[in-house]
Amino acid sequence: MSKGGGTNYGEGVTLNSASSSSPLLPSSLSQYTAVKEMDFFSGERRSPAADPDLGLKALTSSRIKEEEDLTVDTGLNLLTGNTGTSDRSTVDDVSSPAEDFKGSKSEMAAMEAELARVKEENRKLKETLNHAITSHNTLQMHLIWLMQQHHQLNHGEAADRKIDCGGAVPVPRQYLDEPSQSSTTSRCGDRPPSPPGSMDFRLRQSSTDKEIIHENTEQAQEAIMRKARVSVRARSESPMIADGCQWRKYGQKMAKGNPCPRAYYRCTMAAGCPVRKQVQRCAEDRSILTTTYEGSHNHPLPPAAVAMASTTSAAVSMLLSGSTASGPEGLMSPAGFMARAVLPYSSSMATISASAPFPTVMLDLTQESRGAAPQFQRPPAPLPAAQLQVSLPGRGGGGSSFAMPAQAPSLSSDTVSAATAAITADPSFTAALAAAISSIIGAGSLQAAARNNEESKSSANRSNSDDGDRNAAH
DNA sequence: CGGCTTTGACCTGCGC
DNA sequence: GCGCAGGTCAAAGCCG
C-alpha cells in the first residue's frame, strides 16, 4: 500500500460468504426461482409478455383475480339483486321481485358454472406453470452440467498438452501474483513422492496432474473472473444511472480523447464493499453514458440489482468461460456452441479489446435498430484481454434472449422481442442488469477468495495480506 | 457535524 | 529511464 492507510474506504476487504452475490450458477438457480416469484423491479408495471414465465404467471394471476372478481360479483348480485338501488343501468325493463329472484337464481347458476369452469382453467394453468418452471429448472441444471463438462474437457485437454507439473495456465502477468496462483505452484512440492515408474506413481501422477491442471485452470479463471468488468452503454441524461446501490464519488479524471471527464465511484452500501464503477459520457454522443462496474459486492444487492442476476448469470458465465478458451477454437468450442445455443440470435461477430486488461462484458443498450438480432460478440482473441460484447437493441424493441437465456431456444423471436422490449423499457434495467452481472462475475471471486482464505490459513509460508491483494489489484 | 463532492497530488503500469 | 495516461488518495470545501 503506497498511500497511508488512513483511508477507511474499505481496502481491508472482509469477504462475506453469505453474500447474496454468491455463486455463479448453481445457487443462481434458486435465485432464479426466487426471482420468478417477484417482480423484477418492484413497483414497475410489467407487460405479461415481458417474460414467458411471468406472462404465464400474470395470466394465472389474472385468472385468479378474475375468479375472485367473479365471486365478488356473484356476491354483489346476490346482495343487490332485489334492492334495485345498485347502478343497474343496463336493466331497462322493470321486473317483478319473483322474476328477479328467478333471474338471479339462473344467473347464479350460470355464474357458478362459469366459476367452476374458471377454476378448472385456473388449475390447468397452474399445472402448466408448474410444469414450465420444472422444465426450466431441469433444463438449466442440464445446461450447467453440460457447461461444466465442456469446460473441464476443454481446459483439461488444453492443459494436458501445454502444462506439466510446475507449469502454469497461460495467465496474464497481472493474475500471476494472485494468491490463488501462488498456491498452485507450491502444490507440487507438497505432494508426497511416489516411486517413479510404479503403477501407483503413474496413476497418481496422471490423476493428480489432472487435478492440478483442473485447479489451475479453475483458479486462473476465477482470477480472471475476479477482474472481470461489466460495461454498460445506455442513453441517459442524468449524470449517473440509478442502479439501486449507493455510490460515493472518489475521483474524476479527464480521459484522453474524450472531453467528458470520467468519474470514479465506490459502492458504499456496505463497509468494505470493493465494487467500483466508472461513469463516462461518450465523446461522440453525449447522451450515451458508459458505466463500467468492477468487483463484487460483499453485501446483499437491492432487489432492483439482483433481479436480473439469475437470468443473466448463465449468459455471462458462458461468455466468460468460453472466452477463456484461448485461440480461434474458442468460437468453435463447446462453450461457444453452448452460448450460441443459449443465445440463439447471437452472431459470430467478434471484437478484440486490446486495451482491456481484464475480460469485459459490454452491454450495449443504445442500439436503436428495430428487430435487429441481438449481438453476442465473443472474440477469437488472444485472451484474457478479451472483450465480450452483448448488444441489446434499445427501447425500440429489438429481440434479445439475453435476459432469459435458458428459455430462449424454445421461444419465438416475437416472444423474445416482446420480452426484451418490455424489460429494456424499464429505465432502471440498464443499471440493474449491470449491477447484477457485476455481482455474478464477482461471485466466482467470492468463492475463490474464500478458498484462498482457507488456503492462506493452511499455508504458513504464504503472505497473503490485504496489501498484497491490493497491489495485485493494481 | 457527518457525509459527500471536488480537485490537485501521487502512484503505477506501459510504451518508447 | 522518461513521459504519458489511468487510477487512487486525501485534504478542503460544500451541503443538508
Side-chain angles (χ1 to χ4, degrees):
Chain A
M1 191 113 113
S2 52
K3 290 222 171 175
T7 171
N8 60 348
Y9 290 147
E11 305 305 349
V13 176
T14 317
L15 289 157
N16 180 7
S17 59
S19 160
S20 74
S21 57
S22 53
L24 262 171
L25 284 168
S27 76
S28 73
L29 270 179
S30 56
Q31 251 183 357
Y32 188 88
T33 314
V35 164
K36 280 194 292 195
E37 299 298 320
M38 57 182 270
D39 199 346
F40 281 162
F41 305 101
S42 51
E44 296 289 337
R45 212 179 168 81
R46 290 274 314 274
S47 157
D51 180 321
D53 273 0
L54 285 180
L56 199 56
K57 187 176 168 62
L59 203 62
T60 313
S61 316
S62 74
R63 274 295 177 210
I64 295 167
K65 181 88 172 34
E66 194 179 318
E67 185 180 320
E68 287 167 2
D69 289 344
L70 206 59
T71 313
V72 171
D73 282 346
T74 311
L76 270 177
N77 282 334
L78 283 172
L79 284 173
T80 61
N82 292 328
T83 61
T85 53
S86 63
D87 184 18
R88 299 178 66 182
S89 54
T90 53
V91 182
D92 295 325
D93 58 326
V94 181
S95 51
S96 70
E99 279 171 347
D100 262 1
F101 181 70
K102 230 188 244 177
S104 6
K105 209 173 177 184
S106 62
E107 200 179 336
M108 206 173 86
M111 280 183 173
E112 273 174 355
E114 173 71 5
L115 183 64
R117 190 187 62 77
V118 168
K119 271 183 179 170
E120 178 61 20
E121 197 176 342
N122 195 21
R123 191 185 58 78
K124 282 179 185 170
L125 280 169
K126 275 179 184 170
E127 271 176 19
T128 311
L129 179 65
N130 284 336
H131 182 70
I133 289 171
T134 311
S135 303
H136 167 259
N137 286 342
T138 310
L139 275 172
Q140 195 163 17
M141 290 284 279
H142 187 62
L143 179 67
I144 291 159
W145 181 80
L146 279 173
M147 280 166 55
Q148 285 171 347
Q149 293 286 315
H150 285 311
H151 184 236
Q152 284 175 17
L153 203 67
N154 231 12
H155 290 277
E157 281 172 0
D160 267 346
R161 287 194 300 271
K162 293 176 187 171
I163 304 169
D164 58 8
C165 188
V169 181
V171 174
R173 192 170 51 81
Q174 61 259 45
Y175 304 137
L176 292 178
D177 49 3
E178 294 277 339
S180 56
Q181 265 70 46
S182 56
S183 69
T184 59
T185 48
S186 65
R187 213 171 271 272
C188 285
D190 296 339
R191 220 162 278 280
S194 285
S198 70
M199 181 61 84
D200 178 54
F201 174 81
R202 283 196 297 269
L203 285 175
R204 280 188 61 184
Q205 194 179 36
S206 169
S207 62
T208 52
D209 280 0
K210 277 189 177 158
E211 272 174 36
I212 292 163
I213 287 158
H214 180 65
E215 283 174 25
N216 273 341
T217 316
E218 213 174 50
Q219 286 165 359
Q221 191 173 6
E222 280 168 359
I224 292 166
M225 297 277 262
R226 193 176 318 176
K227 297 290 178 184
R229 293 178 171 186
V230 178
S231 189
V232 173
R233 274 164 57 89
R235 294 191 186 281
S236 173
E237 296 307 318
S238 58
M240 193 173 77
I241 51 180
D243 47 21
C245 290
Q246 289 176 347
W247 302 94
R248 175 178 177 166
K249 192 175 183 179
Y250 68 88
Q252 181 168 307
K253 273 290 247 197
M254 293 302 297
K256 198 188 174 190
N258 192 335
C260 306
R262 177 183 300 164
Y264 300 89
Y265 295 88
R266 254 194 200 91
C267 176
T268 58
M269 283 201 77
C273 180
V275 175
R276 290 164 192 201
K277 76 170 177 181
Q278 300 172 8
V279 180
Q280 187 167 36
R281 290 211 171 274
C282 182
E284 291 82 25
D285 186 348
R286 305 276 174 109
S287 68
I288 295 176
L289 206 59
T290 304
T291 307
T292 304
Y293 294 84
E294 186 183 333
S296 57
H297 291 279
N298 65 350
H299 55 86
L301 285 171
V306 83
M308 297 301 293
S310 55
T311 48
T312 53
S313 63
V316 172
S317 177
M318 271 185 300
L319 294 178
L320 287 177
S321 68
S323 76
T324 53
S326 59
E329 70 270 21
L331 270 179
M332 298 304 289
S333 70
F337 277 122
M338 190 60 64
R340 280 197 297 279
V342 163
L343 302 169
Y345 306 105
S346 61
S347 74
S348 56
M349 189 163 70
T351 57
I352 300 172
S353 172
S355 59
F358 313 117
T360 302
V361 176
M362 176 174 281
L363 304 171
D364 193 343
L365 305 180
T366 61
Q367 292 186 8
E368 299 291 343
S369 53
R370 282 175 176 271
Q375 293 163 354
F376 152 51
Q377 300 169 16
R378 195 156 57 70
L383 295 159
Q387 177 174 332
L388 312 171
Q389 190 165 7
V390 179
S391 298
L392 295 174
R395 286 153 200 198
S400 168
S401 61
F402 187 80
M404 49 205 92
Q407 300 158 346
S410 61
L411 298 174
S412 72
S413 59
D414 285 347
T415 312
V416 175
S417 299
T420 310
I423 292 171
T424 54
D426 190 313
S428 61
F429 169 75
T430 305
L433 184 58
I437 296 170
S438 167
S439 78
I440 291 159
I441 287 177
S445 70
L446 281 177
Q447 290 176 317
R451 204 170 324 171
N452 289 339
N453 255 358
E454 283 185 16
E455 278 180 13
S456 65
K457 278 180 198 163
S458 63
S459 167
N461 296 332
R462 249 187 9 240
S463 69
N464 187 13
S465 67
D466 284 341
D467 234 351
D469 274 346
R470 196 162 169 260
N471 288 335
H474 273 90

